[in-house]
Amino acid sequence: MAGVGLALARPQWGETTEISRALGEDTLFILDCSRSMLASDVQPNRLTRAQYSILDFVQRHGRGRVGLVAFAGQAFLQCPLTFDYDAFRDALLAVDAKSMPVPGTDIGTRPG
């Protein structure tokens, strides 16, 4: 009877090595794509300057997954969290204020 209990406990001997890597933190960028971002108080405009700043941050500090949500009147997931920095860059640079289907800035609206 004691042997059955011992067998059910599945004792194991030896050593197991587990390798894990710290891949970094997830960073999700939220980018305002309203028409006000086309103002040229910074060169060439606010939107382009924000895109370049995001790319610079990712280049300097990117060690984990990155993603992008663009918003104007509504928010849209432009790039889900990914380790593919080239795909993130393409998604980021493809965003412009004219492609937003709902104009304006309404960051406080909750999905209904």
Side-chain angles (χ1 to χ4, degrees):
M1 192 62 96
V4 172
L6 187 62
L8 290 175
R10 297 187 52 182
Q12 298 177 9
W13 289 270
E15 294 182 21
T16 303
T17 303
E18 183 177 319
I19 298 173
S20 65
R21 296 180 184 168
L23 297 174
E25 297 180 345
D26 293 343
T27 305
L28 185 64
F29 294 94
I30 313 299
L31 182 62
D32 183 356
C33 295
S34 62
R35 297 200 192 279
S36 66
M37 292 295 284
L38 298 177
S40 58
D41 52 348
V42 292
Q43 294 299 319
N45 60 46
R46 294 177 186 175
L47 180 59
T48 303
R49 181 58 55 200
Q51 289 168 320
Y52 290 155
S53 295
I54 291 170
L55 287 174
D56 183 54
F57 180 88
V58 169
Q59 184 178 15
R60 291 175 188 255
H61 304 290
R63 288 187 255 306
R65 297 184 302 171
V66 291
L68 177 66
V69 172
F71 75 92
Q74 289 181 322
F76 299 95
L77 180 64
Q78 297 296 321
C79 180
L81 289 171
T82 182
F83 287 112
D84 186 348
Y85 290 1
D86 290 331
F88 172 79
R89 181 180 187 277
D90 292 344
L92 176 63
L93 295 178
V95 172
D96 67 352
K98 297 172 187 163
S99 65
M100 293 277 94
V102 180
T105 301
D106 194 2
I107 196 168
T109 300
R110 294 183 180 179

